[in-house]
Amino acid sequence: MDKIKYKFKIATDPFDPYREIEKWQINNQMAAMSIFIGRVREIDQFGSQLKQLEIHHYSGLTEKLIEKHLSEITQKIESFSALVIHRVGFIDPLEPIVLIAVSADQRGIANQYCSEILEVTKFKVPFWKKEWTYKGSSWVKNNTVLST
Amino acid sequence: MKNNANQIKVLLFAELSEKYGWDEKYLSLNLIEDKKAKSILKHININVAHQSIIVAINKEISSLEATVKDNDEVAFMPIFTGG
């Protein structure tokens, strides 16, 4: 029987990324693991103090697009395993929004696909962010581009 | 209203939904002469730049030039901002 090489979850409630990794890695240990945890910023896109972030998504299409991408990676890479969790709903500043953990037999593969999956969640999957401050709310128009 | 023959389900998301005050509508495809997604957008009076709209038909990413069929689910979405 083929081992399922990836797991994707939409989280409607707060989650502990370290606990999720601990559970997942029991059956997904390889030589290299890359982890990304994205948290809510404390300020909005205009520099005001953020009260909460609200995330909407298109149920059904979100899962389909992420799972398609993860499946395509598994077609290319034999030793690959991934865990992806993305929050929706109202989230407080500094709470986790997204967790991506990738196990592989080489660090280059783990790092590359951890980064690639993150960019997919940012630009290729139907999630939308709305920022709430103490003065009102605004939709995020564009995601930040990848910078180093 | 339930989806019947000759109807399509139209969905709006996020800022579009908020701006136009609805997120789901059924409409008769007979009202759309060329059956294209861009004509549906015009018919429901969504006035936004085409490059800032992402279209999905039956939960597959598509385009404004795509042709829609009876009973399709057509979603108009703003640019994605997840992650």
mmCIF file of all heavy atoms in Angstrom, chain A residues 107-146:
data_model
loop_
_atom_site.group_PDB
_atom_site.id
_atom_site.type_symbol
_atom_site.label_atom_id
_atom_site.label_comp_id
_atom_site.label_asym_id
_atom_site.label_seq_id
_atom_site.Cartn_x
_atom_site.Cartn_y
_atom_site.Cartn_z
ATOM 1 N N ARG A 107 18.764 18.116 2.451
ATOM 2 C CA ARG A 107 18.352 19.441 2.953
ATOM 3 C C ARG A 107 17.883 20.358 1.835
ATOM 4 O O ARG A 107 16.967 21.167 2.019
ATOM 5 C CB ARG A 107 19.500 20.096 3.730
ATOM 6 C CG ARG A 107 20.694 20.521 2.885
ATOM 7 C CD ARG A 107 21.821 21.070 3.746
ATOM 8 N NE ARG A 107 22.923 21.629 2.975
ATOM 9 C CZ ARG A 107 23.864 20.930 2.363
ATOM 10 N NH1 ARG A 107 23.827 19.609 2.396
ATOM 11 N NH2 ARG A 107 24.843 21.528 1.698
ATOM 12 N N GLY A 108 18.504 20.226 0.654
ATOM 13 C CA GLY A 108 18.123 21.094 -0.464
ATOM 14 C C GLY A 108 16.677 20.886 -0.865
ATOM 15 O O GLY A 108 15.934 21.845 -1.114
ATOM 16 N N ILE A 109 16.281 19.635 -0.908
ATOM 17 C CA ILE A 109 14.894 19.313 -1.286
ATOM 18 C C ILE A 109 13.930 19.812 -0.212
ATOM 19 O O ILE A 109 12.905 20.428 -0.509
ATOM 20 C CB ILE A 109 14.739 17.790 -1.509
ATOM 21 C CG1 ILE A 109 15.504 17.390 -2.767
ATOM 22 C CG2 ILE A 109 13.268 17.392 -1.617
ATOM 23 C CD1 ILE A 109 15.587 15.891 -2.991
ATOM 24 N N ALA A 110 14.273 19.557 1.055
ATOM 25 C CA ALA A 110 13.392 19.997 2.149
ATOM 26 C C ALA A 110 13.225 21.517 2.127
ATOM 27 O O ALA A 110 12.107 22.032 2.202
ATOM 28 C CB ALA A 110 13.965 19.531 3.485
ATOM 29 N N ASN A 111 14.344 22.240 1.990
ATOM 30 C CA ASN A 111 14.272 23.711 1.979
ATOM 31 C C ASN A 111 13.507 24.217 0.759
ATOM 32 O O ASN A 111 12.666 25.101 0.857
ATOM 33 C CB ASN A 111 15.681 24.317 1.961
ATOM 34 C CG ASN A 111 16.319 24.286 3.337
ATOM 35 O OD1 ASN A 111 15.626 24.264 4.337
ATOM 36 N ND2 ASN A 111 17.633 24.296 3.375
ATOM 37 N N GLN A 112 13.817 23.657 -0.399
ATOM 38 C CA GLN A 112 13.205 24.113 -1.651
ATOM 39 C C GLN A 112 11.684 23.960 -1.622
ATOM 40 O O GLN A 112 10.945 24.896 -1.940
ATOM 41 C CB GLN A 112 13.776 23.325 -2.832
ATOM 42 C CG GLN A 112 13.139 23.705 -4.164
ATOM 43 C CD GLN A 112 13.519 22.746 -5.285
ATOM 44 O OE1 GLN A 112 14.563 22.094 -5.233
ATOM 45 N NE2 GLN A 112 12.674 22.660 -6.296
ATOM 46 N N TYR A 113 11.223 22.774 -1.204
ATOM 47 C CA TYR A 113 9.780 22.547 -1.274
ATOM 48 C C TYR A 113 9.018 23.207 -0.127
ATOM 49 O O TYR A 113 7.846 23.575 -0.292
ATOM 50 C CB TYR A 113 9.474 21.056 -1.429
ATOM 51 C CG TYR A 113 9.811 20.601 -2.830
ATOM 52 C CD1 TYR A 113 10.954 19.878 -3.105
ATOM 53 C CD2 TYR A 113 9.008 20.991 -3.896
ATOM 54 C CE1 TYR A 113 11.284 19.518 -4.405
ATOM 55 C CE2 TYR A 113 9.326 20.642 -5.191
ATOM 56 C CZ TYR A 113 10.469 19.905 -5.448
ATOM 57 O OH TYR A 113 10.797 19.560 -6.741
ATOM 58 N N CYS A 114 9.686 23.404 1.003
ATOM 59 C CA CYS A 114 9.044 24.147 2.090
ATOM 60 C C CYS A 114 8.754 25.567 1.601
ATOM 61 O O CYS A 114 7.647 26.091 1.765
ATOM 62 C CB CYS A 114 9.954 24.163 3.316
ATOM 63 S SG CYS A 114 9.171 24.885 4.765
ATOM 64 N N SER A 115 9.745 26.166 0.960
ATOM 65 C CA SER A 115 9.583 27.520 0.434
ATOM 66 C C SER A 115 8.557 27.566 -0.699
ATOM 67 O O SER A 115 7.694 28.452 -0.750
ATOM 68 C CB SER A 115 10.954 28.009 -0.053
ATOM 69 O OG SER A 115 10.830 29.251 -0.650
ATOM 70 N N GLU A 116 8.635 26.584 -1.589
ATOM 71 C CA GLU A 116 7.726 26.557 -2.748
ATOM 72 C C GLU A 116 6.265 26.391 -2.304
ATOM 73 O O GLU A 116 5.368 27.089 -2.809
ATOM 74 C CB GLU A 116 8.124 25.412 -3.677
ATOM 75 C CG GLU A 116 7.301 25.386 -4.964
ATOM 76 C CD GLU A 116 7.675 24.202 -5.844
ATOM 77 O OE1 GLU A 116 8.824 24.170 -6.324
ATOM 78 O OE2 GLU A 116 6.815 23.317 -6.038
ATOM 79 N N ILE A 117 6.031 25.517 -1.340
ATOM 80 C CA ILE A 117 4.653 25.291 -0.875
ATOM 81 C C ILE A 117 4.109 26.569 -0.214
ATOM 82 O O ILE A 117 2.949 26.929 -0.390
ATOM 83 C CB ILE A 117 4.597 24.089 0.096
ATOM 84 C CG1 ILE A 117 4.941 22.796 -0.650
ATOM 85 C CG2 ILE A 117 3.210 23.965 0.742
ATOM 86 C CD1 ILE A 117 5.289 21.623 0.256
ATOM 87 N N LEU A 118 4.983 27.267 0.508
ATOM 88 C CA LEU A 118 4.544 28.518 1.135
ATOM 89 C C LEU A 118 4.103 29.524 0.066
ATOM 90 O O LEU A 118 3.054 30.168 0.191
ATOM 91 C CB LEU A 118 5.666 29.121 1.984
ATOM 92 C CG LEU A 118 5.340 30.492 2.565
ATOM 93 C CD1 LEU A 118 4.158 30.428 3.519
ATOM 94 C CD2 LEU A 118 6.550 31.081 3.281
ATOM 95 N N GLU A 119 4.903 29.658 -0.983
ATOM 96 C CA GLU A 119 4.542 30.611 -2.047
ATOM 97 C C GLU A 119 3.228 30.202 -2.719
ATOM 98 O O GLU A 119 2.435 31.055 -3.111
ATOM 99 C CB GLU A 119 5.680 30.715 -3.074
ATOM 100 C CG GLU A 119 6.983 31.284 -2.516
ATOM 101 C CD GLU A 119 6.799 32.580 -1.739
ATOM 102 O OE1 GLU A 119 6.338 33.561 -2.350
ATOM 103 O OE2 GLU A 119 7.097 32.612 -0.535
ATOM 104 N N VAL A 120 3.006 28.904 -2.840
ATOM 105 C CA VAL A 120 1.728 28.433 -3.402
ATOM 106 C C VAL A 120 0.564 28.867 -2.503
ATOM 107 O O VAL A 120 -0.453 29.368 -2.985
ATOM 108 C CB VAL A 120 1.752 26.894 -3.599
ATOM 109 C CG1 VAL A 120 0.349 26.348 -3.863
ATOM 110 C CG2 VAL A 120 2.670 26.532 -4.754
ATOM 111 N N THR A 121 0.727 28.713 -1.190
ATOM 112 C CA THR A 121 -0.373 29.113 -0.287
ATOM 113 C C THR A 121 -0.618 30.621 -0.349
ATOM 114 O O THR A 121 -1.733 31.080 -0.118
ATOM 115 C CB THR A 121 -0.116 28.713 1.188
ATOM 116 O OG1 THR A 121 0.974 29.457 1.693
ATOM 117 C CG2 THR A 121 0.123 27.244 1.344
ATOM 118 N N LYS A 122 0.416 31.372 -0.670
ATOM 119 C CA LYS A 122 0.266 32.832 -0.726
ATOM 120 C C LYS A 122 -0.365 33.325 -2.020
ATOM 121 O O LYS A 122 -1.125 34.289 -2.015
ATOM 122 C CB LYS A 122 1.636 33.503 -0.555
ATOM 123 C CG LYS A 122 2.107 33.536 0.884
ATOM 124 C CD LYS A 122 3.344 34.381 1.022
ATOM 125 C CE LYS A 122 3.656 34.639 2.477
ATOM 126 N NZ LYS A 122 2.721 35.552 3.131
ATOM 127 N N PHE A 123 -0.017 32.691 -3.133
ATOM 128 C CA PHE A 123 -0.382 33.271 -4.435
ATOM 129 C C PHE A 123 -1.274 32.403 -5.319
ATOM 130 O O PHE A 123 -1.824 32.897 -6.300
ATOM 131 C CB PHE A 123 0.896 33.618 -5.222
ATOM 132 C CG PHE A 123 1.734 34.673 -4.553
ATOM 133 C CD1 PHE A 123 2.882 34.334 -3.857
ATOM 134 C CD2 PHE A 123 1.365 36.008 -4.606
ATOM 135 C CE1 PHE A 123 3.649 35.308 -3.228
ATOM 136 C CE2 PHE A 123 2.126 36.987 -3.978
ATOM 137 C CZ PHE A 123 3.274 36.636 -3.288
ATOM 138 N N LYS A 124 -1.402 31.118 -5.011
ATOM 139 C CA LYS A 124 -2.089 30.221 -5.948
ATOM 140 C C LYS A 124 -3.342 29.556 -5.377
ATOM 141 O O LYS A 124 -3.950 28.721 -6.035
ATOM 142 C CB LYS A 124 -1.123 29.099 -6.395
ATOM 143 C CG LYS A 124 0.170 29.581 -7.007
ATOM 144 C CD LYS A 124 -0.035 30.021 -8.430
ATOM 145 C CE LYS A 124 1.293 30.347 -9.104
ATOM 146 N NZ LYS A 124 1.088 30.978 -10.406
ATOM 147 N N VAL A 125 -3.661 29.877 -4.149
ATOM 148 C CA VAL A 125 -4.761 29.192 -3.477
ATOM 149 C C VAL A 125 -5.741 30.246 -2.928
ATOM 150 O O VAL A 125 -5.298 31.286 -2.430
ATOM 151 C CB VAL A 125 -4.200 28.307 -2.334
ATOM 152 C CG1 VAL A 125 -5.324 27.592 -1.611
ATOM 153 C CG2 VAL A 125 -3.215 27.284 -2.898
ATOM 154 N N PRO A 126 -7.067 29.987 -3.041
ATOM 155 C CA PRO A 126 -8.041 31.022 -2.673
ATOM 156 C C PRO A 126 -8.213 31.269 -1.174
ATOM 157 O O PRO A 126 -9.183 30.838 -0.554
ATOM 158 C CB PRO A 126 -9.346 30.528 -3.309
ATOM 159 C CG PRO A 126 -9.185 29.053 -3.406
ATOM 160 C CD PRO A 126 -7.726 28.802 -3.637
ATOM 161 N N PHE A 127 -7.223 31.969 -0.613
ATOM 162 C CA PHE A 127 -7.331 32.522 0.738
ATOM 163 C C PHE A 127 -7.320 34.038 0.603
ATOM 164 O O PHE A 127 -6.612 34.573 -0.271
ATOM 165 C CB PHE A 127 -6.110 32.133 1.589
ATOM 166 C CG PHE A 127 -6.052 30.705 2.016
ATOM 167 C CD1 PHE A 127 -5.082 29.861 1.496
ATOM 168 C CD2 PHE A 127 -6.921 30.208 2.976
ATOM 169 C CE1 PHE A 127 -4.986 28.551 1.902
ATOM 170 C CE2 PHE A 127 -6.825 28.889 3.390
ATOM 171 C CZ PHE A 127 -5.867 28.059 2.851
ATOM 172 N N TRP A 128 -8.071 34.706 1.474
ATOM 173 C CA TRP A 128 -8.059 36.181 1.479
ATOM 174 C C TRP A 128 -7.961 36.668 2.909
ATOM 175 O O TRP A 128 -8.639 36.151 3.803
ATOM 176 C CB TRP A 128 -9.329 36.749 0.836
ATOM 177 C CG TRP A 128 -9.480 36.319 -0.581
ATOM 178 C CD1 TRP A 128 -8.896 36.897 -1.677
ATOM 179 C CD2 TRP A 128 -10.233 35.207 -1.073
ATOM 180 N NE1 TRP A 128 -9.259 36.209 -2.811
ATOM 181 C CE2 TRP A 128 -10.075 35.181 -2.470
ATOM 182 C CE3 TRP A 128 -11.037 34.244 -0.474
ATOM 183 C CZ2 TRP A 128 -10.687 34.212 -3.268
ATOM 184 C CZ3 TRP A 128 -11.647 33.275 -1.265
ATOM 185 C CH2 TRP A 128 -11.468 33.280 -2.640
ATOM 186 N N LYS A 129 -7.141 37.719 3.074
ATOM 187 C CA LYS A 129 -6.938 38.282 4.411
ATOM 188 C C LYS A 129 -7.647 39.627 4.536
ATOM 189 O O LYS A 129 -7.550 40.475 3.644
ATOM 190 C CB LYS A 129 -5.449 38.535 4.649
ATOM 191 C CG LYS A 129 -4.601 37.302 4.781
ATOM 192 C CD LYS A 129 -3.170 37.723 5.117
ATOM 193 C CE LYS A 129 -2.235 36.540 5.120
ATOM 194 N NZ LYS A 129 -1.010 36.801 4.378
ATOM 195 N N LYS A 130 -8.309 39.806 5.664
ATOM 196 C CA LYS A 130 -8.905 41.092 6.002
ATOM 197 C C LYS A 130 -8.345 41.514 7.350
ATOM 198 O O LYS A 130 -8.390 40.740 8.315
ATOM 199 C CB LYS A 130 -10.422 40.947 6.078
ATOM 200 C CG LYS A 130 -11.161 42.248 6.250
ATOM 201 C CD LYS A 130 -12.658 41.967 6.300
ATOM 202 C CE LYS A 130 -13.445 43.244 6.245
ATOM 203 N NZ LYS A 130 -14.890 42.964 6.336
ATOM 204 N N GLU A 131 -7.798 42.720 7.376
ATOM 205 C CA GLU A 131 -7.170 43.190 8.613
ATOM 206 C C GLU A 131 -8.124 44.094 9.393
ATOM 207 O O GLU A 131 -8.686 45.040 8.828
ATOM 208 C CB GLU A 131 -5.887 43.961 8.267
ATOM 209 C CG GLU A 131 -4.829 43.063 7.653
ATOM 210 C CD GLU A 131 -3.589 43.813 7.219
ATOM 211 O OE1 GLU A 131 -3.726 44.960 6.737
ATOM 212 O OE2 GLU A 131 -2.489 43.261 7.338
ATOM 213 N N TRP A 132 -8.260 43.785 10.657
ATOM 214 C CA TRP A 132 -9.109 44.589 11.547
ATOM 215 C C TRP A 132 -8.212 45.364 12.503
ATOM 216 O O TRP A 132 -7.374 44.778 13.184
ATOM 217 C CB TRP A 132 -10.056 43.698 12.351
ATOM 218 C CG TRP A 132 -11.144 43.089 11.516
ATOM 219 C CD1 TRP A 132 -11.066 41.928 10.788
ATOM 220 C CD2 TRP A 132 -12.453 43.605 11.291
ATOM 221 N NE1 TRP A 132 -12.248 41.700 10.125
ATOM 222 C CE2 TRP A 132 -13.125 42.713 10.424
ATOM 223 C CE3 TRP A 132 -13.141 44.739 11.735
ATOM 224 C CZ2 TRP A 132 -14.434 42.905 10.003
ATOM 225 C CZ3 TRP A 132 -14.447 44.936 11.316
ATOM 226 C CH2 TRP A 132 -15.082 44.027 10.461
ATOM 227 N N THR A 133 -8.393 46.684 12.528
ATOM 228 C CA THR A 133 -7.682 47.509 13.507
ATOM 229 C C THR A 133 -8.728 48.067 14.469
ATOM 230 O O THR A 133 -9.909 47.715 14.387
ATOM 231 C CB THR A 133 -6.939 48.676 12.817
ATOM 232 O OG1 THR A 133 -7.918 49.560 12.265
ATOM 233 C CG2 THR A 133 -6.008 48.183 11.722
ATOM 234 N N TYR A 134 -8.296 48.954 15.356
ATOM 235 C CA TYR A 134 -9.256 49.552 16.291
ATOM 236 C C TYR A 134 -10.075 50.651 15.608
ATOM 237 O O TYR A 134 -11.011 51.187 16.184
ATOM 238 C CB TYR A 134 -8.511 50.066 17.531
ATOM 239 C CG TYR A 134 -7.975 48.896 18.341
ATOM 240 C CD1 TYR A 134 -6.704 48.363 18.075
ATOM 241 C CD2 TYR A 134 -8.759 48.285 19.307
ATOM 242 C CE1 TYR A 134 -6.233 47.261 18.777
ATOM 243 C CE2 TYR A 134 -8.297 47.182 20.019
ATOM 244 C CZ TYR A 134 -7.031 46.679 19.746
ATOM 245 O OH TYR A 134 -6.573 45.569 20.424
ATOM 246 N N LYS A 135 -9.713 50.955 14.337
ATOM 247 C CA LYS A 135 -10.446 52.007 13.613
ATOM 248 C C LYS A 135 -11.360 51.445 12.520
ATOM 249 O O LYS A 135 -12.218 52.149 12.006
ATOM 250 C CB LYS A 135 -9.439 52.957 12.954
ATOM 251 C CG LYS A 135 -8.610 53.752 13.942
ATOM 252 C CD LYS A 135 -7.548 54.546 13.199
ATOM 253 C CE LYS A 135 -6.544 55.163 14.152
ATOM 254 N NZ LYS A 135 -5.326 55.608 13.478
ATOM 255 N N GLY A 136 -11.157 50.231 12.121
ATOM 256 C CA GLY A 136 -11.972 49.666 11.032
ATOM 257 C C GLY A 136 -11.289 48.462 10.422
ATOM 258 O O GLY A 136 -10.480 47.797 11.081
ATOM 259 N N SER A 137 -11.614 48.194 9.154
ATOM 260 C CA SER A 137 -11.042 47.005 8.508
ATOM 261 C C SER A 137 -10.674 47.296 7.063
ATOM 262 O O SER A 137 -11.217 48.223 6.453
ATOM 263 C CB SER A 137 -12.048 45.853 8.555
ATOM 264 O OG SER A 137 -13.183 46.174 7.786
ATOM 265 N N SER A 138 -9.759 46.509 6.530
ATOM 266 C CA SER A 138 -9.393 46.635 5.111
ATOM 267 C C SER A 138 -8.906 45.275 4.603
ATOM 268 O O SER A 138 -8.258 44.515 5.334
ATOM 269 C CB SER A 138 -8.298 47.688 4.920
ATOM 270 O OG SER A 138 -7.168 47.342 5.687
ATOM 271 N N TRP A 139 -9.255 44.992 3.350
ATOM 272 C CA TRP A 139 -8.789 43.755 2.718
ATOM 273 C C TRP A 139 -7.343 43.932 2.289
ATOM 274 O O TRP A 139 -6.974 45.000 1.794
ATOM 275 C CB TRP A 139 -9.642 43.427 1.491
ATOM 276 C CG TRP A 139 -11.026 43.015 1.862
ATOM 277 C CD1 TRP A 139 -12.129 43.811 1.928
ATOM 278 C CD2 TRP A 139 -11.456 41.695 2.232
ATOM 279 N NE1 TRP A 139 -13.221 43.070 2.327
ATOM 280 C CE2 TRP A 139 -12.838 41.776 2.522
ATOM 281 C CE3 TRP A 139 -10.810 40.471 2.362
ATOM 282 C CZ2 TRP A 139 -13.576 40.660 2.915
ATOM 283 C CZ3 TRP A 139 -11.552 39.362 2.764
ATOM 284 C CH2 TRP A 139 -12.909 39.468 3.032
ATOM 285 N N VAL A 140 -6.548 42.897 2.466
ATOM 286 C CA VAL A 140 -5.168 42.936 1.982
ATOM 287 C C VAL A 140 -5.228 42.815 0.458
ATOM 288 O O VAL A 140 -5.861 41.899 -0.072
ATOM 289 C CB VAL A 140 -4.329 41.803 2.610
ATOM 290 C CG1 VAL A 140 -2.939 41.745 2.001
ATOM 291 C CG2 VAL A 140 -4.244 41.991 4.126
ATOM 292 N N LYS A 141 -4.595 43.776 -0.237
ATOM 293 C CA LYS A 141 -4.701 43.818 -1.703
ATOM 294 C C LYS A 141 -3.689 42.886 -2.381
ATOM 295 O O LYS A 141 -3.969 42.272 -3.396
ATOM 296 C CB LYS A 141 -4.458 45.244 -2.211
ATOM 297 C CG LYS A 141 -5.465 46.245 -1.698
ATOM 298 C CD LYS A 141 -6.796 46.087 -2.398
ATOM 299 C CE LYS A 141 -7.764 47.166 -1.944
ATOM 300 N NZ LYS A 141 -9.127 46.883 -2.355
ATOM 301 N N ASN A 142 -2.505 42.875 -1.837
ATOM 302 C CA ASN A 142 -1.457 42.038 -2.421
ATOM 303 C C ASN A 142 -0.588 41.478 -1.320
ATOM 304 O O ASN A 142 -0.295 42.179 -0.353
ATOM 305 C CB ASN A 142 -0.559 42.868 -3.356
ATOM 306 C CG ASN A 142 -1.277 43.226 -4.624
ATOM 307 O OD1 ASN A 142 -1.647 42.367 -5.409
ATOM 308 N ND2 ASN A 142 -1.506 44.518 -4.814
ATOM 309 N N ASN A 143 -0.172 40.240 -1.494
ATOM 310 C CA ASN A 143 0.752 39.659 -0.541
ATOM 311 C C ASN A 143 2.144 40.251 -0.715
ATOM 312 O O ASN A 143 2.498 40.711 -1.792
ATOM 313 C CB ASN A 143 0.845 38.149 -0.772
ATOM 314 C CG ASN A 143 0.123 37.379 0.314
ATOM 315 O OD1 ASN A 143 0.020 37.844 1.441
ATOM 316 N ND2 ASN A 143 -0.373 36.212 -0.029
ATOM 317 N N THR A 144 2.916 40.219 0.358
ATOM 318 C CA THR A 144 4.310 40.645 0.251
ATOM 319 C C THR A 144 5.058 39.681 -0.669
ATOM 320 O O THR A 144 4.772 38.482 -0.680
ATOM 321 C CB THR A 144 4.988 40.633 1.639
ATOM 322 O OG1 THR A 144 4.726 39.370 2.249
ATOM 323 C CG2 THR A 144 4.442 41.744 2.513
ATOM 324 N N VAL A 145 5.987 40.224 -1.441
ATOM 325 C CA VAL A 145 6.784 39.346 -2.300
ATOM 326 C C VAL A 145 7.912 38.739 -1.471
ATOM 327 O O VAL A 145 8.272 39.267 -0.407
ATOM 328 C CB VAL A 145 7.367 40.102 -3.525
ATOM 329 C CG1 VAL A 145 6.265 40.531 -4.452
ATOM 330 C CG2 VAL A 145 8.204 41.277 -3.091
ATOM 331 N N LEU A 146 8.430 37.627 -1.948
ATOM 332 C CA LEU A 146 9.496 36.932 -1.231
ATOM 333 C C LEU A 146 10.754 37.799 -1.208
ATOM 334 O O LEU A 146 11.236 38.229 -2.238
ATOM 335 C CB LEU A 146 9.796 35.590 -1.917
ATOM 336 C CG LEU A 146 10.838 34.704 -1.278
ATOM 337 C CD1 LEU A 146 10.404 34.270 0.123
ATOM 338 C CD2 LEU A 146 11.094 33.484 -2.145
#
